[in-house]
Amino acid sequence: MDIALAVTVGGLYAAGIYMMLRRSVVKLLIGLGLLSHAANLLIFTAGGIVRGRVPVVPTGQSQPIAEIADPLPQALILTAIVISFAVLAFALVLIYRTYQTLGTDDLDQLKATDT
Amino acid sequence: MNSQLAVILPIAVPLATMAISLLAWKSIAAQKWIGCTGSVLLFVSAAALMWLVDRDDIIVLQVGRWPAPFGITLVADRLSAIMVMLAGLVMLSVTVYSLATIDDRRVDYGFFPLIHLLLMGVCGAFLTGDLFNLYVWFEVMLIASFVLLTLGGERGQLEGAIKYVALNLISSAAFLAAIGVIYAATGTLNMADLAVKLRSFPDEGIVTVLAMLFLIAFGTKAAVFPLFFWLPASYHTPPVAVSAIFAGLLTKVGVYSLIRAFTLLFVTDLAFTHNLLLLIAGLTMVTGVFGAMAQSEIRRILSFHIVSQIGYMLMGLALFTPLALAGSVFYIIHHIVVKTNLFLIGGIAERRFGSGKLSDIGGLQQSMPVLAILFFLSAMSLAGIPPLSGFFAKLTLIRGGLETERYAIVTAALLVSLLTLFSMTKIWAEAFWKLAPEDARSASPAIFASRHNRFALFGPIVMLVSITVGIGLLAGPVMKVSYAAAEQLLDPDTYVDAVLPDRLQIEPDRWQIENDLTQHAPTTNRDPTPDRESIAVGQMTPVLEEAFQ
């Protein structure tokens, strides 16, 4: 399972970086989305994968009986998903406005503010 | 005032100001009043924090009374307090300045709530003691800065914003990945706990890989050598007040995180990490200043100077001696004051002629002699001419470099400060010295006519210039504060002890033993001192109850 997830993470990173290297702004944005998904999945995989054990301590015990799924990475991912969702929504509006104002979606054309 | 309350105030005050000014969404005048009051309160609370930290060394607040490393920790050590204090100062001057320069349309779209949101993120990043919270504060700061950068929707702004957004999101993704890997390796995200665990981590290679991931993530935010391209592409596009607050604060959050990470967490392989930092510092200085020399627009020149001066701040960190690190802290203090000020002055020049291009403007020395003096003092301070603040900052760094016999970086630093002087002279000669071009749009708009506006424009600049001169004249006390901050940074144990007073219990094997023991017999191996006892799980100090009584 770990291997499959690790390969998926690698694939997502590769696809994300490939998309970001394209000239279209939309593809840049898709690439950023893939990149943040890759990071989330990386946290999930790195946090350790345990099948079907909830992190609940039974009554009368001071610690869980068997190995449990660590809830912290999931909490981290949840926060990160919300944040990246908000940021991507902003970026979508931004590229739409940019396209309206500049009339192009080609990153090579956006160099008026460069040095 | 309760000292733990002081730690949360720099975050709570901007939050409250933002909420209240959102309620006054319809009224521009009310938003301006609320914005200014909020900035004054933020400055006062930052000053109070500074005073309390100077008294108590480190103030720790365990939010929700969960003991570290399980809960959220807010820590204010000397460096954090200095940074929060500077944030308050920048915020105060920029808010006053924006009263005259931000047009009503931008205020209408929420300029004041947004800068307070930005400040909440900045102060949160300075005060947090937890890596994931640092990420969240970064994002709070970023989303506010995205909107501030695009507010108004002009062509240049949108174009600059695409680059700014894309590169900052990439660095956020790298930061998030680094957090995931460091959690997998150590099982904690609390910085004090990490400091302990990384020190005795069995595999040094993984620690170095982590250090590099954090270097990329924070380095992009700080605009260090190969990762700085978003900065000169975007910082000159928004209105001057926004540019100034970005220039003063945002990159410094990255620098602060680098200093925190490379003094507290990654200090096991100094030969590799800190030599790499030194190389990056040198290249950042040189490329930044060459970029600045090639430019011919005030704010673009100043943007490239930010990059070159980030190099100085890293230089002190990379040399890693108390003197050099004190130089870094001093440099940050000096730089935030001077750079904000130069942007504000550049803004007035731009306003006067309707353009920032050096070829379109001139003759400011005759038409605005006061502005000329103020610019001269700040520019000389940036270049490091005694007796202004920049001189002492550079002197300390260079002495730190000579002490450790790193002559290459010392040469680079001296050369770069000469070139800085050169490009400052260029602005001086073109904008102030030469006669105004024939076809210059000598638009002296109504903005300079009213006394209110003149106060709003020149008040902050005069204040910041007098601080630069003041730091120069009173370099001794400021140096003492910086030195104390540097010594504290180089002694991570005090930080760890402050955050984890019950450190031994929390180490995993001890934790296990303790749990076993408590089931059979009364505990014997606990430290009996009451303050330690009281922070053990289950019976925590009623911090917040005290705070609200």
Side-chain angles (χ1 to χ4, degrees):
Chain A
M1 195 60 194
D2 284 16
I3 296 293
L5 279 170
V7 170
T8 317
V9 172
L12 278 172
Y13 267 116
I17 289 167
Y18 174 74
M19 289 303 260
M20 283 196 302
L21 295 175
R22 308 295 297 272
R23 278 168 61 175
S24 157
V25 188
V26 182
K27 287 177 183 154
L28 169 81
L29 203 67
I30 295 173
L32 284 174
L34 289 175
L35 213 60
S36 67
H37 282 80
N40 288 336
L41 202 58
L42 175 68
I43 297 181
F44 181 68
T45 315
I49 295 164
V50 177
R51 184 191 286 265
R53 292 241 180 241
V54 287
V56 174
V57 181
T59 328
Q61 296 281 321
S62 65
Q63 59 191 58
I65 303 164
E67 207 187 11
I68 53 161
D70 187 349
L72 190 66
Q74 297 172 19
L76 300 185
I77 295 167
L78 188 58
T79 317
I81 286 175
V82 176
I83 290 172
S84 70
F85 184 67
V87 173
L88 275 179
F90 175 82
L92 265 174
V93 178
L94 174 68
I95 63 162
Y96 182 63
R97 267 307 297 267
T98 314
Y99 177 70
Q100 274 188 329
T101 312
L102 303 175
T104 177
D105 72 333
D106 186 347
L107 282 170
D108 281 6
Q109 308 280 319
L110 306 181
K111 45 190 182 195
T113 65
D114 274 348
T115 48
Chain B
M1 185 162 69
N2 187 300
S3 59
Q4 266 128 354
L5 191 65
V7 180
I8 204 146
L9 271 183
I11 301 170
V13 168
L15 177 66
T17 316
M18 182 190 72
I20 295 169
S21 54
L22 281 179
L23 293 177
W25 184 260
K26 289 270 163 63
S27 161
I28 289 174
Q31 283 205 34
K32 286 184 172 176
W33 272 108
I34 296 164
C36 286
T37 320
S39 304
V40 172
L41 286 178
L42 175 65
F43 183 73
V44 171
S45 58
L49 179 68
M50 181 86 190
W51 183 71
L52 284 169
V53 167
D54 201 45
R55 195 190 63 188
D56 299 351
D57 281 336
I58 294 183
I59 303 175
V60 181
L61 172 64
Q62 312 286 7
V63 179
R65 283 191 261 159
W66 285 90
F70 304 112
I72 291 170
T73 315
L74 292 177
V75 191
D77 67 348
R78 285 172 192 273
L79 179 66
S80 312
I82 292 173
M83 300 304 285
V84 171
M85 178 79 197
L86 291 167
L89 181 69
V90 170
M91 182 65 175
L92 190 63
S93 35
V94 168
T95 327
V96 174
Y97 188 87
S98 66
L99 290 179
T101 54
I102 290 291
D103 46 293
D104 285 354
R105 199 167 57 100
R106 287 195 166 92
V107 177
D108 224 17
Y109 283 120
F111 173 78
F112 283 103
L114 280 167
I115 48 172
H116 281 96
L117 180 66
L118 181 79
L119 254 283
M120 181 175 86
V122 170
C123 291
F126 289 152
L127 290 174
T128 184
D130 181 288
L131 276 181
F132 193 75
N133 277 290
L134 185 62
Y135 167 77
V136 175
W137 289 123
F138 262 176
E139 295 298 314
V140 169
M141 182 182 95
L142 276 185
I143 195 90
S145 72
F146 291 166
V147 184
L148 277 174
L149 192 64
T150 49
L151 203 64
E154 286 159 24
R155 287 180 75 98
Q157 284 187 303
L158 291 171
E159 217 175 277
I162 288 227
K163 291 153 198 163
Y164 182 82
V165 169
L167 281 162
N168 275 296
L169 289 188
I170 293 172
S171 95
S172 291
F175 188 13
L176 199 57
I179 286 174
V181 180
I182 208 167
Y183 181 72
T186 58
T188 179
L189 288 171
N190 183 291
M191 291 203 241
D193 201 19
L194 275 172
V196 177
K197 289 196 171 135
L198 288 177
R199 226 179 291 165
S200 55
F201 199 72
D203 190 346
E204 240 181 57
I206 287 181
V207 179
T208 310
V209 169
L210 283 168
M212 291 306 104
L213 270 172
F214 279 104
L215 180 62
I216 292 170
F218 295 149
T220 314
K221 312 252 185 218
V224 301
F225 163 57
L227 309 163
F228 65 79
F229 293 97
W230 54 271
L231 193 150
S234 60
Y235 268 24
H236 60 91
T237 59
V240 176
V242 177
S243 273
I245 203 166
F246 281 16
L249 286 181
L250 289 198
T251 44
K252 260 51 86 192
V253 180
V255 174
Y256 166 84
S257 314
L258 278 174
I259 292 182
R260 187 61 80 207
F262 285 90
T263 55
L264 187 63
L265 306 181
F266 305 112
V267 286
T268 43
D269 192 5
L270 287 180
F272 179 75
T273 51
H274 286 65
N275 279 337
L276 183 66
L277 277 173
L278 197 65
L279 180 71
I280 291 174
L283 289 170
T284 310
M285 279 181 211
V286 174
T287 44
V289 85
F290 280 148
M293 284 167 67
Q295 296 299 317
S296 59
E297 204 177 302
I298 296 179
R299 274 202 275 169
R300 291 191 192 219
I301 296 180
L302 294 176
S303 300
F304 268 107
H305 275 308
I306 301 177
V307 177
S308 90
Q309 276 131 20
I310 296 293
Y312 284 98
M313 298 169 202
L314 283 191
M315 174 183 162
L317 171 64
L319 292 172
F320 212 60
T321 61
L323 186 65
L325 207 54
S328 271
V329 177
F330 199 122
Y331 205 98
I332 293 176
I333 299 174
H334 143 76
H335 176 87
I336 291 182
V337 172
V338 172
K339 183 57 80 179
T340 312
N341 199 17
L342 280 170
F343 266 84
L344 296 182
I345 294 172
I348 292 186
E350 273 182 32
R351 199 44 88 111
R352 173 77 176 68
F353 290 98
S355 160
K357 285 208 182 73
L358 288 175
S359 55
D360 292 350
I361 58 181
L364 277 170
Q365 187 220 4
Q366 282 96 25
S367 55
M368 299 178 116
V370 180
L371 188 72
I373 295 170
L374 294 173
F375 173 81
F376 184 77
L377 286 172
S378 320
M380 290 305 112
S381 179
L382 190 74
I385 304 292
L388 297 159
S389 59
F391 170 70
F392 294 101
K394 282 180 179 152
L395 180 71
T396 320
L397 280 172
I398 284 164
R399 272 186 55 200
L402 291 176
E403 229 176 40
T404 43
E405 301 182 344
R406 305 294 184 92
Y407 297 117
I409 193 85
V410 170
T411 317
L414 289 171
L415 184 75
V416 168
S417 83
L418 193 67
L419 295 175
T420 312
L421 182 62
F422 167 78
S423 63
M424 283 292 131
T425 325
K426 183 163 135 190
I427 300 185
W428 172 257
E430 293 276 326
F432 291 85
W433 202 255
K434 82 164 191 230
L435 293 176
E438 295 284 309
D439 55 341
R441 283 173 284 170
S442 79
S444 188
I447 186 171
F448 296 112
S450 98
R451 264 183 66 196
H452 262 304
N453 280 349
R454 274 212 303 277
F455 171 76
L457 288 172
F458 285 96
I461 297 179
V462 171
M463 180 179 80
L464 292 174
V465 166
S466 35
I467 291 174
T468 325
V469 177
I471 294 176
L473 297 178
L474 297 170
V478 183
M479 192 62 223
K480 232 166 109 184
V481 172
S482 320
Y483 202 81
E487 278 194 320
Q488 205 176 42
L489 286 172
L490 287 174
D491 180 22
D493 280 326
T494 53
Y495 185 95
V496 173
D497 286 338
V499 179
L500 302 169
D502 237 11
R503 189 177 358 162
L504 286 181
Q505 284 191 5
I506 289 157
E507 276 170 24
D509 43 347
R510 285 291 188 97
W511 186 245
Q512 189 67 46
I513 294 164
E514 277 247 332
N515 270 336
D516 292 346
L517 280 176
T518 42
Q519 281 172 7
H520 306 294
T523 46
T524 46
N525 62 340
R526 273 202 184 169
D527 192 333
T529 45
D531 58 329
R532 291 196 167 202
E533 190 87 294
S534 61
I535 301 171
V537 193
Q539 38 168 154
M540 292 147 257
T541 28
V543 172
L544 288 177
E545 272 169 33
E546 267 172 37
F548 288 113
Q549 266 163 16

